[in-house]
Amino acid sequence: MANKLWYSRAIAAVATGALTVTLAACGGEGAGSGSGAGDDSNEEGGLVGVAMPTETSERWIADGAAVEDGLKEAGYDVDLQFAGDDIPTQQQQIDAMINAGAEALIVAAIDGTTLTGQLEAAAAQDIPVISYDRLIRDSEDVDFYVSFDNFQVGVAQANALLNGLGLVDENGEPVEDAPKGPFNVELFAGSLDDNNAHFFWDGAMSVLEPLIEDGTLVVPSEQTEIDQAATQRWLQENAQSRMEDLLTAHYDGNEKVDGVLSPYDGLSRGIIEALRSAGYEDDAMPVITGQDAEIASVKLIADGVQNSTIFKDTRLLADQAVVTAEALLAGEEPEANNTEDYDNGVKVVPSYLLPVTTIYADNIESELVDSGYWTAEEVESGVAETE
Ligand code: BGC
């Protein structure tokens, strides 16, 4: 990410394998990793615990670093931890933050339903909890939710799919003399234990279902339920093997896939791999969507292999989390812009939702390069710069 040393360092760690060293030093992936509160001790503010799910995806590294930077600038000490996508590790990390005297917690859950005990302990000590990007479910003790408009992410992904098929324009409006189809599409969803996956799916299906019903879109696998389309833990390899299975079972020599709804760039790359193995050429790929504007996928979009991604500016989300933490720690009510949609099973959690942007090849420069999210060189190479 351009001009952001913290980000470059984090990505460099992944790119060069330094991550393995960090994790090994902490006892392996399951043990998680993070920067302790000990460094840069800050006299003004208290300690804030920041729990992130994994370092296997660029966005969470960027989120963690941006939240840490923002909190430190605001005068807090920070205990930032990544849990290697392992639920017990995340639980232990949050327990440790509470024991270390954290005054607030910012948590992006791996599984939104597994932190009830930790949140109870936090509430018992009046430690406010901010659910970060993913809603923590089944707990009374979530004070606030900062995220993007997750339903809209799904709507935008579905519109991008339809745009790639020539059915709607870039604003999602029907185009005149659109092709009649029918188009063969396959549908992917995220991890069922992530509340967001359901919002993405519902948003996308609100657009796609009428077209499946009227026959414009056909799903040859007939897998049109989220349970069938889900991808456990958002893993690329799981999406790749499901796509391979779909191709083998439902597409004979003459039948071609025209489009794939994919909710995350990592999955999109797995899907692309499966299609390549099945003989699809890069210049004749189906329309494939994505999310997160990961650099490898931005390059695939620039090269015309992947159709699109949804850009969620993690810098803005981190800022929002910091502002929210400051308000809660000052005993104030944080500003919410949604107090209706995020029911976590126990209560509606007041939320602040940020907007999202669809990225196609033609707005990579204006949205991602000009805003300093990626440099032109990074887009060209598909690899994040190391400094
Ligand atoms: C996030 C997405 C991300 C996905 C996989 C979701 O909860 O909102 O931005 O692509 O997790 O990490």
Side-chain angles (χ1 to χ4, degrees):
M1 208 165 279
N3 309 326
K4 287 278 184 191
L5 191 57
W6 52 260
Y7 187 85
S8 302
R9 282 197 183 131
I11 294 300
V14 174
T16 62
L19 174 66
T20 329
V21 177
T22 316
L23 291 175
C26 296
E29 161 87 343
S33 62
S35 59
D39 4 304
D40 287 338
S41 187
N42 200 308
E43 282 173 15
E44 289 165 38
L47 175 67
V48 178
V50 181
M52 290 284 149
T54 178
E55 287 168 301
T56 55
S57 151
E58 280 162 12
R59 79 149 288 186
W60 299 117
I61 299 174
D63 282 286
V67 173
E68 182 176 39
D69 277 3
L71 287 169
K72 282 187 171 167
E73 264 168 44
Y76 296 96
D77 288 334
V78 181
D79 183 6
L80 168 64
Q81 298 293 334
F82 293 88
D85 257 342
D86 182 60
I87 295 164
T89 300
Q90 187 164 59
Q91 291 169 330
Q92 285 155 19
Q93 288 174 339
I94 296 173
D95 288 338
M97 290 169 187
I98 295 172
N99 290 337
E103 289 177 13
L105 295 172
I106 297 176
V107 180
I110 297 164
D111 176 330
T113 64
T114 55
L115 298 174
T116 315
Q118 282 63 41
L119 265 50
E120 259 172 33
Q125 297 183 45
D126 289 328
I127 302 170
V129 176
I130 299 166
S131 197
Y132 186 90
D133 192 74
R134 298 173 171 174
L135 185 65
I136 299 174
R137 295 190 55 82
D138 305 338
S139 172
E140 179 66 37
D141 307 315
V142 189
D143 292 279
F144 204 84
Y145 179 47
V146 292
S147 190
F148 294 89
D149 187 335
N150 294 303
F151 188 87
Q152 198 50 41
V153 169
V155 169
Q157 287 168 337
N159 278 330
L161 178 62
L162 300 183
N163 177 257
L165 294 172
L167 296 169
V168 303
D169 65 20
E170 292 199 354
N171 300 315
E173 299 300 327
V175 295
E176 268 177 46
D177 301 324
K180 295 271 170 296
F183 296 102
N184 290 336
V185 299
E186 294 296 340
L187 311 172
F188 282 71
S191 197
L192 293 176
D193 53 11
D194 179 351
N195 198 58
N196 287 352
H198 300 267
F199 275 80
F200 301 152
W201 178 264
D202 290 347
M205 291 309 269
S206 73
V207 175
L208 299 181
E209 236 156 30
L211 296 171
I212 295 174
E213 269 158 30
D214 76 14
T216 308
L217 303 179
V218 175
V219 184
S221 70
E222 295 179 15
Q223 296 185 5
T224 55
E225 300 297 327
I226 187 170
D227 295 15
Q228 299 169 307
T231 314
Q232 176 66 2
R233 216 78 326 129
W234 294 96
L235 287 175
Q236 174 166 343
E237 54 266 36
N238 292 347
Q240 183 167 343
S241 69
R242 175 163 177 259
M243 190 71 217
E244 284 164 3
D245 292 348
L246 293 176
L247 288 166
T248 310
H250 304 286
Y251 294 83
D252 63 24
N254 303 320
E255 201 96 45
K256 284 265 170 231
V257 188
D258 299 308
V260 183
L261 175 78
S262 167
Y264 158 53
D265 286 342
L267 307 190
S268 314
R269 294 196 296 275
I271 291 161
I272 288 169
E273 278 315 310
L275 287 158
R276 282 175 173 157
S277 302
Y280 285 73
E281 301 286 340
D282 276 5
D283 60 2
M285 277 289 158
V287 179
I288 301 166
T289 62
Q291 174 171 204
D292 287 348
E294 292 197 339
I295 192 59
S297 295
V298 173
K299 177 172 168 53
L300 287 168
I301 294 167
D303 291 348
V305 182
Q306 184 172 320
N307 165 268
S308 55
T309 188
I310 307 301
F311 174 42
K312 309 200 310 196
D313 194 333
T314 49
R315 299 168 297 191
L316 301 181
L317 185 60
D319 288 349
Q320 201 59 42
V322 173
V323 166
T324 303
E326 286 184 290
L328 289 169
L329 284 165
E332 292 160 11
E333 207 173 304
E335 186 191 348
N337 64 6
N338 186 304
T339 50
E340 280 175 14
D341 292 330
Y342 287 91
D343 186 332
N344 77 348
V346 177
K347 69 175 198 184
V348 176
V349 183
S351 310
Y352 196 99
L353 306 181
L354 294 160
V356 300
T357 309
T358 306
I359 303 294
Y360 297 102
D362 64 7
N363 64 350
I364 289 175
E365 191 176 336
S366 58
E367 296 292 340
L368 300 179
V369 177
D370 292 352
S371 76
Y373 199 77
W374 297 119
T375 64
E377 293 71 31
E378 287 169 319
V379 173
E380 175 74 28
S381 68
V383 178
E385 277 166 16
T386 53
E387 52 185 79

